[in-house]
């Protein structure tokens, strides 16, 4: 969502603010529709930064409930009844103890509040993503379950260089913890791009062969070209990567930062071709 809004010329700032005004809502509906029309079977709400702790940095914490609920409603309107709406829950942006001052209790309470508002807005699943700290993942899963007891919860981590998160978590470790937490699905998103996501899925699949895995990498590592951020991997690249992620054990595939509707279309086409082949 963040990179797509930038691509469409929306001025920088927290993407969640768009939920609060009519023009922003129109933009969000159009973005969601673009992905649905490209063949997405699941879309994410504009709430990646919608955790109240993260919204605090933008002076929006008091509107956290409204932002998350409305964002879910907007995605649902665009998705219709057939397409799944996943409530995006990104990191708080604060460091957990002992490196920082965020306690598991405070973190879980913030995720609980976000999850409850997303559920009130009608999401089908809570989608914890771009995580790098397993203690924050635990707090997010706990909060999500308390805030929305009836909904499935999935969690993905962001693996970068040497297929570890910035906090040094390896995919094998992540898979063990996520198995223990009993999430509905787990995997890799964002990070540095498709090779790391493929490697992470392979590693997670070895540890947790029965856990449904998610591969949702960025379209490569962005570079700055003449003042604009460019993601190097083409739709065709992502279509090929989707096939490789399935071979590595993924059951849900998509694209994160830099993924346009054309990337989603290429992934959908690649999957349809495989289904045709049986
Ligand atoms: Zn990303």
């Amino acid at each position: 969502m963040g990179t797509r809004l930038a691509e469409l010329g929306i001025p920088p700032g927290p993407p969640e603010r768009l939920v609060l005004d009519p023009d922003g809502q129109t933009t969000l509906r159009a973005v969601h529709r673009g992905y649905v029309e490209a063949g997405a079977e699941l879309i994410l709400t504009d709430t990646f930064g919608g955790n109240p702790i993260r919204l605090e940095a933008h002076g929006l914490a008091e509107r956290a409930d409204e932002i998350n609920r409305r964002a879910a409603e907007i995605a649902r309107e665009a998705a219709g009844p057939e397409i799944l709406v996943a409530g995006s829950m990104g990191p708080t942006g604060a460091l957990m103890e002992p490196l920082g001052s965020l306690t598991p209790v405070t973190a879980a309470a913030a995720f609980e509040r976000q999850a409850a508002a997303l559920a009130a807005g009608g999401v089908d699943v809570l989608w914890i993503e771009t995580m790098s700290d397993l203690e924050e993942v635990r707090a997010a899963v706990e909060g999500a379950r308390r805030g929305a007891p009836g909904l499935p919860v999935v969690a993905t981590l962001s693996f970068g260089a040497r297929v570890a998160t910035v906090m040094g978590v390896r995919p094998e470790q992540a898979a063990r913890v996520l198995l223990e937490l009993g999430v509905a699905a787990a995997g890799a998103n964002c990070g540095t791009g498709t090779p790391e996501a493929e490697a992470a899925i392979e590693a997670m699949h070895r540890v947790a062969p029965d856990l449904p895995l998610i591969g949702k990498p960025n379209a490569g590592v962005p570079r700055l070209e003449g003042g604009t951020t460019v993601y190097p991997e083409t739709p065709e690249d992502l279509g090929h990567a989707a096939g490789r992620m399935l071979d590595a054990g993924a059951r849900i595939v998509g694209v994160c930062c830099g993924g346009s509707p054309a990337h989603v279309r290429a992934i959908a086409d690649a999957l349809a071709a495989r289904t045709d082949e049986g």
Side-chain angles (χ1 to χ4, degrees):
M1 179 60 78
T3 57
R4 183 67 182 149
L5 292 172
E7 198 177 14
L8 295 172
I10 304 298
E16 293 75 23
R17 77 193 186 285
L18 299 185
V19 171
L20 297 170
D21 81 89
D23 284 351
Q25 294 168 5
T26 304
T27 301
L28 292 175
R29 264 184 223 104
V31 169
H32 287 317
R33 285 302 309 165
Y35 291 114
V36 170
E37 279 155 21
E41 294 171 291
L42 179 152
I43 59 169
L44 273 79
T45 55
D46 177 29
T47 55
F48 176 79
N51 185 289
I53 294 171
R54 191 168 170 140
L55 288 175
E56 183 78 60
H58 306 289
L60 291 170
E62 278 168 24
R63 304 188 77 178
D65 299 337
E66 181 189 358
I67 286 172
N68 285 285
R69 185 180 40 79
R70 278 301 288 138
E73 289 166 356
I74 290 163
R76 173 56 70 202
E77 283 159 33
E82 302 288 314
I83 305 299
L84 290 173
V85 173
S88 174
M89 297 172 69
T92 58
L95 282 176
M96 300 279 293
E97 284 180 336
L99 291 175
S101 58
L102 183 62
T103 66
V105 171
T106 308
F111 284 112
E112 177 182 350
R113 189 174 158 198
Q114 184 180 21
L118 287 167
V123 301
D124 298 301
V125 48
L126 293 167
W127 197 274
I128 297 161
E129 59 173 351
T130 323
M131 287 286 167
S132 50
D133 181 341
L134 283 173
E135 289 315 305
E136 190 170 8
V137 172
R138 283 182 196 277
V141 171
E142 190 191 318
R145 289 202 170 124
R146 279 208 310 254
L151 290 183
V153 177
V154 312
T156 62
L157 285 85
S158 172
F159 298 99
R162 294 182 296 279
V163 200
T165 73
V166 291
M167 299 296 283
V169 177
R170 308 267 313 162
E172 295 85 349
Q173 244 179 308
R176 278 185 206 105
V177 169
L178 291 162
L179 258 184
E180 171 203 317
L181 290 172
V183 292
N189 83 295
C190 210
T192 41
T194 51
E196 287 74 16
E198 286 163 37
I201 287 161
E202 221 175 273
M204 291 176 108
H205 188 59
R206 274 197 301 272
V207 175
D210 298 324
L211 184 62
L213 294 177
I214 300 165
K216 183 175 161 287
N218 288 350
V221 180
R223 46 173 190 258
L224 218 52
E225 274 175 21
T228 44
T229 307
V230 178
Y231 284 83
E233 295 199 14
T234 63
E236 197 187 11
D237 292 335
L238 260 294
H240 292 312
R244 291 195 302 270
M245 289 191 289
L246 287 181
D247 292 338
R251 288 297 166 265
I252 301 169
V253 292
V255 60
C256 194
C257 304
S260 65
H263 290 85
V264 169
R265 168 81 61 200
I267 293 169
D269 288 348
L271 299 187
R274 283 172 70 107
T275 309
D276 291 346
E277 287 161 17

